[in-house]
Amino acid sequence: MPIRLALIGCGRISRRHVLAMKDLQERGRGDFVVTAVCDANPQAASERADMFEELLGRRPVVYGTHEELLASARVDAADLCLPHGFHHGIAVDCMEAGLHVLCEKPLGITIKACRTMIEAAERTGRVLSTAAPHRRQPGQRTVKWVFDESGLIGRPLSFFHQYRSSAVLPAAAGQADARPNPSQLWGPQAGDSGGPLPEHKRWRRDRLMSGGGPVLDSGFHYCDSLRYFFGEVETVYAVLQSVKSGMPQRFGDAPEDTVFVTLTFKNGVTGSWAWSLAAPGEEAYDVTFYGSRGSLRDTTAAPFSIFHLFQRTPEKLETARLESSDGSVYNMKQLEAMHRASLSEEEEEFLYPGGATDGFAIEIWEFLEVLRGNREAPEIDGREGMRSLALGDAIYESGLTGDVVLVDDVLDGSRSVFQDPIDDHWGLS
Ligand SMILES: NC(=O)c1ccc[n+]([C@@H]2O[C@H](COP(=O)([O-])OP(=O)(O)OC[C@H]3O[C@@H](n4cnc5c(N)ncnc54)[C@H](O)[C@@H]3O)[C@@H](O)[C@H]2O)c1
């Protein structure tokens, strides 16, 4: 019998989940069925149900609350695409009701929220997986292969990542919304001129519902990718500011738009992540990873490239490149081909089921395979998702206190100044 899924939260990113399911179906991996959708906004739920009907051939039953869904829908698992503050409560309710859970990043709104989810998974024996597509895509799999297996540039030493643009500053005449970029999520345009903010911006501006600004939201991807490449981070020192007013302010209530972070890893790697969305004048993007015998570099900015490393865009496949100290040079296209050629048939199918390269399709497929008993555990299970969140929260902890912060202290709860008000709000103790 096909696995029966419910989609809970039918906003922006859930669209990508439907397209990913369509992709899986087209690759002959459609052995699942979405029987229910749920959203507090009836229009959003109804539109998503229509989309399922049109693309996957079956209209799920629409619910307005997850409680109604859990009381009457016949489902095995839930795919949660909700504002961060609702992740833990609804995930726990789902698991208590017997459902396995695939939860959008960040796993929980705080470390305590994550622990609540992990404990529920262990108590109920349900699978808990964190939906985070980037490390699962060929770009980052290739980077990992370069360092761990290729021998092309030796062991990782350091990285330097810079991004500077004026995205959150008032746009010049005729330029507003000219291109997709992070300002659409955290920037000032809609709403700041007096109109109401759209829902997807409203909750992101409320720290009690979002858990933080860009560093915690899309930054979760960045933190997860760094951990994937280089292992656990030991210390973080961060300066975060909101400068879009034109006057630098200490990191406070406004979402950060200018960030300087220095990281040390337990294996000796060091790195810096420095970016601003409030830097008028010349734009710049440069991410370079250094190994003991060469470098891997990407200088082509793409939407969200502050957070999404080595994305597989046609341009980056040509321009991102490895340069070895023996003089050899390869672009990402060649490196990806070498990585793919190094895989056995089983490994290729494991990483890229049916040739899929979309991280959303891969994460959903992986989740289904765990439920079927074909895989032991999700790659980013509850604990792994919590560790990636701890890095983001350590950045805030440092930004707020000015201290060098041990990520382990954030993970074990001994440092939580930034998270305390959020935990208090949600009654997490
Ligand atoms: N993987 C990625 O690249 C990526 C990208 C964007 C967002 N996300 C994540 O996806 C999640 C959702 O983000 P989004 O951008 O789709 O937000 P969104 O605001 O567009 O959608 C959230 C939806 O949840 C609904 N909702 C709110 N409370 C609810 C409740 N109690 N019960 C049922 N429905 C409820 C809202 O009505 C809305 O339709 C977040 O965790 C976000 O971080 C992931």
Side-chain angles (χ1 to χ4, degrees):
M1 182 157 109
I3 291 170
R4 299 162 301 182
L5 293 172
L7 175 70
I8 306 183
C10 299
R12 285 154 50 102
I13 206 60
S14 70
R15 234 188 128 259
R16 291 288 287 106
H17 288 228
V18 186
L19 294 173
M21 290 178 197
K22 168 78 177 161
D23 184 24
L24 288 173
Q25 197 184 59
E26 285 176 352
R27 293 175 190 281
R29 278 150 185 79
D31 189 21
F32 60 88
V33 55
V34 179
T35 55
V37 295
C38 168
D39 199 290
N41 172 353
Q43 192 187 337
S46 170
E47 281 175 13
R48 210 47 85 234
D50 291 346
M51 189 175 172
F52 274 115
E53 186 171 18
E54 188 189 328
L55 296 185
L56 284 108
R58 173 173 168 158
R59 193 170 207 280
V61 180
V62 172
Y63 295 91
T65 68
H66 76 281
E67 288 95 343
E68 286 163 13
L69 184 152
L70 294 178
S72 40
R74 291 168 172 274
V75 282
D76 304 302
D79 177 4
L80 307 189
C81 298
L82 292 160
H84 306 161
F86 292 133
H87 286 193
H88 63 282
I90 295 183
V92 171
D93 285 353
C94 286
M95 289 185 275
E96 297 285 5
L99 273 58
H100 304 282
V101 169
L102 173 66
C103 183
E104 260 299 347
K105 49 55 60 174
L107 180 67
I109 189 167
T110 60
I111 297 299
K112 283 182 179 163
C114 291
R115 289 203 186 279
T116 310
M117 297 164 81
I118 294 164
E119 280 161 19
E122 287 171 356
R123 188 170 61 246
T124 59
R126 301 294 90 183
V127 173
L128 174 62
S129 179
T130 312
H134 291 280
R135 68 154 82 173
R136 293 165 158 123
Q137 293 177 158
Q140 295 197 6
R141 294 288 193 211
T142 300
V143 173
K144 181 83 172 152
W145 169 83
V146 163
F147 278 119
D148 290 3
E149 292 176 48
S150 77
L152 289 169
I153 57 171
R155 63 186 168 77
L157 289 182
S158 60
F159 66 88
F160 300 79
H161 183 156
Q162 291 221 351
Y163 181 94
R164 305 185 293 277
S165 96
S166 58
V168 303
L169 297 173
Q175 281 185 353
D177 285 328
R179 58 189 177 156
N181 67 41
S183 70
Q184 291 182 345
L185 294 181
W186 302 287
Q189 294 111 349
D192 286 0
S193 53
L197 280 171
E199 180 70 22
H200 70 268
K201 277 196 170 187
R202 226 174 298 153
W203 69 261
R204 282 188 158 88
R205 296 275 187 100
D206 173 4
R207 192 169 299 169
L208 297 176
M209 185 54 92
S210 65
V215 162
L216 185 128
D217 192 335
S218 286
F220 180 91
H221 296 302
Y222 190 75
C223 295
D224 187 64
S225 302
L226 287 185
R227 292 187 51 253
Y228 176 56
F229 297 143
F230 305 125
E232 298 307 335
V233 176
E234 182 145 42
T235 67
V236 163
Y237 175 67
V239 175
L240 294 91
Q241 294 183 322
S242 175
V243 305
K244 72 170 189 242
S245 62
M247 284 289 289
Q249 297 166 346
R250 201 174 142 68
F251 169 58
D253 285 338
E256 64 280 4
D257 56 36
T258 300
V259 166
F260 302 87
V261 187
T262 301
L263 306 108
T264 65
F265 289 72
K266 291 187 176 176
N267 64 1
V269 170
T270 51
S272 75
W273 186 36
W275 56 267
S276 179
L277 296 171
E282 195 172 352
E283 297 205 344
Y285 179 70
D286 187 341
V287 51
T288 311
F289 290 177
Y290 288 95
S292 47
R293 292 199 313 277
S295 60
L296 191 59
R297 186 176 190 198
D298 177 15
T299 53
T300 305
F304 288 90
S305 50
I306 300 173
F307 313 108
H308 302 173
L309 288 162
F310 292 93
Q311 272 171 292
R312 189 178 189 253
T313 66
E315 202 182 347
K316 282 172 187 275
L317 279 172
E318 300 295 336
T319 56
R321 61 185 219 144
L322 177 151
E323 193 169 323
S324 162
S325 48
D326 70 9
S328 47
V329 173
Y330 303 93
N331 66 17
M332 276 306 277
K333 197 172 170 180
Q334 293 167 314
L335 292 170
E336 185 186 320
M338 290 155 74
H339 149 59
R340 301 284 286 265
S342 77
L343 300 171
S344 68
E345 245 175 67
E346 293 82 48
E347 289 167 336
E348 169 74 20
E349 172 59 26
F350 189 87
L351 292 180
Y352 309 113
T357 55
D358 172 48
F360 292 90
I362 296 168
E363 73 194 11
I364 292 168
W365 180 251
E366 180 208 271
F367 178 62
L368 295 169
E369 284 290 89
V370 176
L371 302 197
R372 293 185 190 109
N374 295 338
R375 292 193 191 196
E376 218 168 282
E379 178 168 343
I380 313 177
D381 62 8
R383 288 187 191 281
E384 184 72 1
M386 178 170 67
R387 280 185 171 278
S388 293
L389 178 72
L391 176 51
D393 274 323
I395 292 172
Y396 285 127
E397 193 74 23
S398 177
L400 204 57
T401 61
D403 295 344
V404 174
V405 169
L406 287 169
V407 177
D408 280 350
D409 286 351
V410 174
L411 194 60
D412 72 16
S414 48
R415 263 206 185 255
S416 57
V417 174
F418 176 78
Q419 297 173 72
D420 286 345
I422 305 170
D423 283 332
D424 287 347
H425 174 79
W426 291 103
L428 292 158
S429 52

